[in-house]
Amino acid sequence: DVMHEVFDLADMEAKLAKKLGISNVYIVPGDSDFFPWVKKEMGKKGTLLLKNLLKGEKDVIAVTGGTTIASVAEMMETDSEMQDTLFVPARGGLGEQVENQANTICATMARKAMGQYRLLHVPDQLSKEAHDSLIQESSIRQILELIRSANIVIHGIGQAKTMAERRKTPENILNKLQDEQAVAEAFGYYFNHSGDIIHKVRTIGLQLEDLKHIPDVIAVAGGKSKAQAIYAYITNGPSQMLVTDEGAATEMLNNV
Ligand code: F6P
């Protein structure tokens, strides 16, 4: 029955938070690998957390790409308290399709919440030269400063192989990821099971070390298939809050 289910999830949340070593885990029922509505439920939970974390003035929320954060945007509702909230993309181009890009998601969230947004226009796969000259541009510097001033970050986590393939990563990098046993991906960084960085996509915006200075970092990721990736990233990474689903949570508790 329903009460039993709620109780079981609360129990799982506490156990999983302990196993991952973070303060807050939120689990929605179901497995998003099999049912699309489960991803929407994670999205809904993500929007509620964002609202609760607002300071009420000069809030800056940085968002990443991916289908899960896209569903956070999809579930966002108009809120008069979000009028002054500024949404920014966490990092520049990571090789996603338009609908999964941080810029697109950021604009959608702001539009739905009736908040503000600023975008970051940089091509994917920057050369070292292009990167170094872009960060000198004054318009880029301004937006980078805003991004680094974010007080909340909401981001996705993916499986290393899935993400590398989705981004049409060159063969030599794919081989490196496989040889060095990359399992997780977040913010354009690929990690092994111990959280060592195996590879990083060169783009501007938030770098992993910047996240340590951001007060609230929320990860949203679910599906049994992502259990290993979520575990590897969360136990070693800077996120303190995780929104996940029963599919990923059960697998993490029992088999990772
Ligand atoms: O590419 C952006 C990104 O947030 C990645 O860092 C992450 O691995 C992926 O999207 C998650 O995508 P999805 O939610 O579609 O699994």
Side-chain angles (χ1 to χ4, degrees):
D1 61 74
V2 175
M3 279 320 289
H4 210 106
E5 173 119 323
V6 169
F7 177 77
D8 286 348
L9 285 181
D11 189 44
M12 273 176 91
E13 288 174 342
K15 284 194 180 121
L16 190 55
K18 189 156 180 241
K19 181 160 182 177
L20 297 172
I22 57 173
S23 47
N24 295 86
V25 170
Y26 305 91
I27 304 173
V28 305
D31 185 334
S32 54
D33 280 350
F34 303 105
F35 303 104
W37 52 264
V38 179
K39 202 176 269 187
K40 292 194 184 186
E41 285 304 312
M42 286 193 285
K44 178 84 200 159
K45 186 68 205 173
T47 68
L48 297 176
L49 284 180
L50 286 179
K51 282 186 187 179
N52 286 338
L53 291 169
L54 294 178
K55 296 175 297 175
E57 60 177 272
K58 295 207 174 120
D59 283 286
V60 178
I61 302 180
V63 308
T64 70
T67 60
T68 313
I69 304 302
S71 70
V72 178
E74 190 190 338
M75 301 309 281
M76 203 89 192
E77 283 171 16
T78 309
D79 186 334
S80 56
E81 283 174 36
M82 283 194 140
Q83 268 168 17
D84 298 324
T85 303
L86 179 68
F87 293 85
V88 293
R91 295 191 84 199
L94 294 177
E96 294 271 24
Q97 294 182 24
V98 174
E99 62 274 26
N100 288 336
Q101 286 169 10
N103 267 341
T104 313
I105 293 172
C106 163
T108 306
M109 271 196 200
R111 182 172 49 77
K112 290 217 160 185
M114 302 252 273
Q116 314 293 317
Y117 69 94
R118 295 282 301 276
L119 301 181
L120 177 59
H121 296 291
V122 285
D124 299 345
Q125 320 263 3
L126 289 178
S127 68
K128 173 108 179 38
E129 295 71 33
H131 171 273
D132 293 351
S133 80
L134 262 176
I135 57 174
Q136 304 299 327
E137 285 291 327
S138 76
S139 62
I140 300 271
R141 281 160 75 152
Q142 283 172 16
I143 169 95
L144 285 178
E145 219 165 279
L146 280 174
I147 293 172
R148 287 198 204 101
S149 76
N151 55 307
I152 305 174
V153 176
I154 187 157
H155 71 93
I157 302 171
Q159 288 178 272
K161 188 164 188 284
T162 309
M163 290 314 299
E165 285 169 358
R166 191 158 103 188
R167 290 172 175 155
K168 311 209 174 11
T169 305
E171 188 84 29
N172 61 323
I173 309 279
L174 286 178
N175 291 339
K176 184 179 179 209
L177 292 174
Q178 192 174 0
D179 292 346
E180 301 189 24
Q181 299 175 353
V183 293
E185 193 285 346
F187 297 100
Y189 291 76
Y190 291 85
F191 307 88
N192 68 11
H193 191 71
S194 317
D196 305 317
I197 299 169
I198 306 297
H199 175 68
K200 168 187 173 183
V201 180
R202 189 186 291 118
T203 189
I204 60 178
L206 286 183
Q207 309 297 313
L208 205 56
E209 59 269 22
D210 296 326
L211 293 166
K212 293 185 199 126
H213 310 295
I214 296 182
D216 292 304
V217 182
I218 314 168
V220 190
K224 183 180 174 190
S225 61
K226 279 192 189 178
Q228 215 197 0
I230 299 171
Y231 182 85
Y233 183 74
I234 296 289
T235 49
N236 301 291
S239 308
Q240 316 93 338
M241 275 170 266
L242 170 69
V243 178
T244 190
D245 62 19
E246 205 180 342
T250 308
E251 185 69 8
M252 278 190 272
L253 285 171
N254 300 335
N255 299 319
V256 176

